């Protein structure tokens, strides 16, 4: 993983000159004045933890598993939001942990948490490091130091129960490894977020992730039937039946707790048979409103495809559903090659499973009845091919001088148009009116009662692009709260959404969270500053 960008450096992409020209002429993008810093020149504070404490950590995790080297610290500084990457590219390592600790078992995690509570060492659980909400940079004030608790050594598939269709995993298993391990049993999780290549199962549970096939397989929190949480106060072992009426479901308290209540050390996950067949295809709708109505009809009447993604007019024009092809024909857009004709809205429907023919026929009937025009398999194939490549494109755009960031929300169907307008207006109002940003949106997670809206914004970087985006983000957060949406559908809260989350759940809700934290983490060492709204 690139330390200041996304993914495998071998897949890094240069922007074609045609796209650079468009960015320059349409958006006023100019190359940044200073080149990106090299890893060795990232500025880090000296390690704050004294030797005896580093020794005590090493006694628990093993000497080779407490690391204070420059590269280890840099690689555990922040996550992968655009402001995170901008700061790293500027050589700002101020959020680096003092040490990276890699425990090898639940017992080691529990013992480390006890030690850190006694010694007031802040602990940031670290999975794949793909948080986009500031979930990985601890507040340091009041602590002896900060450690990143990297769960990468906890990487086993522990058991598979093919009768109940439940698999038990360690939390540090990366998504592709989970799929590879399950494939040996003819099974799949069916969880494919865009961060699939690097994110871990523990991170998915901790941040309540949702993947591209959520319509078919559900969100990640739908898949968790049981889990184990190590906390400074002891261990919670939850989920002894698929459903229960035994009081409130405490599993739901752990899902989305973002490392602030404890460390997830084991996950029991519902699995499915690996699909025998997959079929992805495209449809065109005359407008986002018409496409939304069709998506709603599918969500409410069925049958739902596994993948259902509707781009708005701007996203369709730019071709973001198929990032691999952006700029490849010199047009920068989807053009006529996908049959979408560059107009209207592109919908991708993907069917997975056994005997998908019937579901495909019934869903296609609904889409056609709602005004959709079938475009055949080509747009589906292009989407599938490029489904994980947009983050690589972000790196190239950042280097070219454009800020590219995504944000998301969700709401009930009746409120979705209002939410869509509110976010767009907030972004247009907060970013440079002389060079209006490009704002694109798609729906990709649908429910009977509503859907998520996922926005991508492209805007020229000003002299302080981090502050520039912070202003835009503050305006959008306020607009989402005001328009009745949730502050996040699947990215989580972290630090970036904490205040808006407080507004969403109200003072009593926030007080409940603080009470739970006080019980599980009385010294307040776990991911301080993340998730929990202050009084
Ligand atoms: C390019 C890109 C695309 C993305 N696409 C999607 C998407 O399609 N869908 C989606 O849902 N999200 C997406 N995300 C967001 C991110 O991938 C998810 O939030 C993911 O769940 C984080 O997993 P991770 O293993 O990287 O966790 P990390 O980023 O390491 O951690 C996330 C949070 O969980 C905590 N945590 C991690 N592991 C544990 C554990 N075992 N116990 C307790 N706390 C823990 C951390 O302290 C942190 O607060 C994307 C991010 C990027 C950068």
């Amino acid at each position: 993983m690139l330390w200041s960008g996304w993914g495998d450096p071998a897949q890094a992409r240069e922007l074609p000159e045609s796209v650079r020209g468009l960015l320059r002429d349409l958006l006023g993008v100019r190359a940044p004045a200073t080149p990106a810093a090299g890893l060795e020149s990232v500025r880090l504070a000296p390690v704050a933890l004294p030797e005896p404490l580093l020794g005590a950590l090493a006694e628990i995790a093993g000497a080779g598993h407490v690391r204070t080297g420059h590269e280890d610290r840099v690689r555990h500084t922040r996550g992968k939001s655009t402001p995170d990457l901008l700061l790293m590219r500027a050589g700002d390592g101020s959020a680096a942990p003092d040490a990276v600790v890699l425990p090898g078992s639940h017992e080691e995690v529990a013992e480390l948490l006890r030690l850190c509570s006694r010694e007031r060492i802040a602990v940031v659980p670290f999975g794949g490091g793909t948080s986009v909400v500031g979930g990985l940079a601890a507040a340091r004030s009041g602590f002896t130091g900060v450690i990143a608790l990297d769960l990468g050594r906890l990487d086993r598939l522990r058991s598979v129960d093919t009768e109940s269709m439940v698999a038990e995993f360690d939390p540090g298993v990366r998504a592709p490894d989970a799929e590879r391990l399950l494939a040996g049993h003819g099974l799949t999780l069916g969880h494919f977020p865009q961060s699939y290549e690097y994110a871990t199962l523990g991170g998915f549970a901790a941040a309540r992730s949702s993947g591209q096939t959520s319509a078919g397989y559900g969100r990640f929190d739908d898949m968790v039937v049981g889990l184990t949480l190590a906390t400074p106060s002891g261990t919670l072992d939850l989920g002894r039946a698929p459903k229960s009426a035994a009081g409130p479901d405490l599993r739901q308290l752990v899902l989305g707790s973002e490392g602030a209540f404890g460390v997830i050390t084991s996950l029991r996950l519902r699995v499915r048979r690996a699909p025998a067949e997959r079929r992805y295809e495209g449809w065109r709708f005359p407008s986002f409103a018409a496409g939304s109505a069709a998506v709603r009809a599918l969500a409410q009447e069925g049958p739902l495809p596994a993948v259902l993604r509707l781009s708005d007019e701007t996203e369709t024009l730019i071709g973001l559903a198929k990032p691999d092809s952006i700029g490849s024909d010199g047009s920068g857009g989807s053009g006529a090659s996908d049959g979408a004709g560059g107009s209207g809205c592109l919908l991708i429907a993907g069917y997975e499973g056994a005997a998908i023919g019937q579901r495909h026929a019934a869903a296609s009937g609904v889409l056609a009845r709602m005004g959709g025009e079938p475009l055949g398999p080509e747009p589906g194939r292009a989407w599938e091919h490029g489904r994980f490549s947009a983050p690589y494109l972000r790196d190239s755009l950042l280097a070219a001088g454009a800020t590219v960031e995504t944000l998301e929300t969700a709401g009930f169907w009746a409120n979705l148009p209002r939410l869509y307008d509110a976010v767009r207006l907030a972004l247009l109002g907060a970013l440079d009116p002389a060079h209006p940003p490009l704002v694109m949106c798609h729906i990709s997670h649908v429910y009977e009662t509503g859907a998520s809206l996922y926005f991508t914004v492209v805007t020229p970087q000003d002299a302080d692009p981090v502050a520039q985006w912070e202003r835009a983000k503050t305006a959008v957060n306020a607009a989402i709260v005001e328009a009745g949406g949730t502050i996040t559908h699947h990215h989580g809260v972290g630090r970036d959404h904490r205040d808006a989350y407080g507004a969403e759940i109200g003072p009593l809700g926030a007080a409940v969270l603080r009470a739970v934290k006080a019980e599980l983490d009385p010294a307040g060492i776990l991911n301080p500053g993340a998730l929990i709204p202050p009084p």
Side-chain angles (χ1 to χ4, degrees):
M1 170 76 107
L2 265 176
W3 65 275
S4 63
W6 181 254
D8 175 0
Q11 287 192 48
R13 291 174 53 188
E14 270 288 304
L15 280 185
E17 187 40 46
S18 58
V19 176
R20 284 177 191 278
L22 276 178
L23 290 170
R24 218 170 25 238
D25 300 343
L26 292 184
L27 293 178
V29 170
R30 296 283 174 271
T34 35
L39 189 147
E40 60 296 334
S41 57
V42 174
R43 301 175 298 280
L44 300 182
V47 173
L49 287 172
E51 275 304 327
L53 283 185
L54 291 171
L57 292 166
E59 249 171 57
I60 299 170
H65 303 131
V66 176
R67 301 180 184 161
T68 54
H70 183 85
E71 180 163 351
D72 280 310
R73 291 177 68 201
V74 169
R75 287 188 176 280
H76 292 80
T77 305
R78 307 191 177 91
K80 296 291 179 188
S81 70
T82 293
D84 289 342
L85 300 189
L86 287 166
L87 287 164
M88 296 311 289
R89 293 171 67 87
D92 179 335
S94 56
D98 296 299
V100 179
V101 180
L102 296 102
S105 67
H106 167 87
E107 289 70 27
E108 285 183 14
V109 172
E111 215 180 323
L112 286 165
L113 294 182
R114 282 193 291 273
L115 171 74
C116 291
S117 291
R118 263 197 321 275
E119 302 294 342
R120 289 202 59 73
I121 300 171
V123 178
V124 183
F126 195 101
T130 67
S131 167
V132 282
V133 292
L136 295 166
R140 192 171 260 282
S141 159
F143 294 96
T144 319
V146 178
I147 63 166
L149 196 74
D150 187 321
L151 296 152
R153 284 177 68 213
L154 302 179
D155 62 355
R156 288 170 313 152
L157 167 61
R158 294 193 189 174
S159 64
V160 179
D161 168 357
T162 49
E163 196 173 345
S164 313
M165 296 295 274
V166 172
E168 180 169 12
F169 281 98
D170 281 348
V173 179
R174 288 185 196 279
D177 294 330
E179 287 298 335
R180 184 179 47 74
L181 291 163
L182 287 174
H185 300 267
L187 300 172
T188 182
L189 261 180
H191 189 66
F192 302 99
Q194 204 175 48
S195 52
Y196 171 77
E197 295 163 282
Y198 294 93
T200 63
L201 303 182
F204 292 148
R208 290 223 260 164
S209 166
S210 192
Q212 293 166 345
T213 49
S214 67
Y217 296 88
R219 298 163 55 92
F220 196 80
D221 47 18
D222 297 329
M223 300 173 192
V224 179
V225 296
L227 48 80
T228 308
L229 186 77
T231 82
S233 303
T235 293
L236 274 177
D237 212 348
L238 302 167
R240 52 172 63 200
K243 295 284 174 196
S244 161
D249 188 346
L250 291 180
R251 287 174 298 194
Q252 297 301 328
L253 205 59
V254 177
L255 296 169
S257 62
E258 300 186 23
F261 290 166
V263 179
I264 297 164
T265 55
S266 144
L267 283 161
R268 269 90 63 202
L269 302 175
R270 176 259 279 154
V271 291
R272 297 251 173 95
R273 300 257 170 253
E277 259 185 280
R278 286 193 174 87
R279 189 190 300 184
Y280 302 136
E281 63 184 26
W283 289 73
R284 192 181 79 83
F285 283 86
S287 66
F288 195 49
S292 302
V295 166
R296 176 163 62 85
L298 277 182
Q300 293 176 342
E301 297 168 24
L304 263 179
V307 176
L308 192 55
R309 172 187 165 122
L310 173 73
S311 297
D312 73 356
E313 289 83 352
T314 316
E315 190 174 287
T316 301
L317 194 68
I318 298 295
L320 203 64
K322 307 165 302 160
D324 268 4
S325 62
I326 291 179
S328 57
D329 61 358
S331 73
S334 54
S337 60
D338 62 5
S343 65
C345 291
L346 178 66
L347 178 142
I348 302 291
Y351 304 84
E352 298 192 359
I356 56 181
Q358 255 185 356
R359 230 170 328 130
H360 173 258
S364 299
V366 175
L367 292 173
R369 190 189 82 218
M370 297 301 291
E373 174 196 335
L375 301 174
E378 188 43 42
R381 266 201 291 271
W383 172 81
E384 189 188 6
H385 190 250
R387 66 194 288 189
F388 302 125
S389 38
Y392 293 91
L393 191 62
R394 173 176 64 163
D395 287 349
S396 315
L397 289 163
L398 284 179
T403 288
V404 192
E405 184 55 308
T406 62
L407 55 95
E408 37 83 59
T409 177
F412 294 107
W413 287 115
N415 196 38
L416 224 51
R418 177 176 165 222
L419 197 52
Y420 175 82
D421 289 342
V423 172
R424 282 182 57 82
L425 280 176
L427 286 165
L428 293 169
L431 291 164
D432 182 4
H435 296 109
L438 196 57
V439 181
M440 302 168 266
C441 181
H442 66 253
I443 290 176
S444 53
H445 306 277
V446 300
Y447 309 94
E448 283 173 73
T449 51
S452 72
L453 294 174
Y454 186 94
F455 293 87
T456 303
V457 188
V458 185
T459 194
Q461 289 166 22
D462 71 9
D464 184 351
V466 175
Q468 177 194 21
W469 181 250
E470 209 173 290
R471 282 194 302 278
K473 185 75 178 162
T474 304
V476 171
N477 286 356
I480 287 174
V481 172
E482 165 67 24
T486 178
I487 195 60
T488 171
H489 169 264
H490 58 264
H491 281 168
V493 175
R495 282 155 196 78
D496 300 356
H497 293 149
R498 193 185 65 169
D499 293 346
Y501 178 45
E504 185 170 328
I505 61 175
L508 184 57
V512 170
L513 292 182
R514 287 196 297 276
V516 172
K517 181 158 174 86
E519 190 62 40
L520 299 177
D521 176 24
I525 55 156
L526 279 163
N527 213 355
L531 183 73
I532 318 272

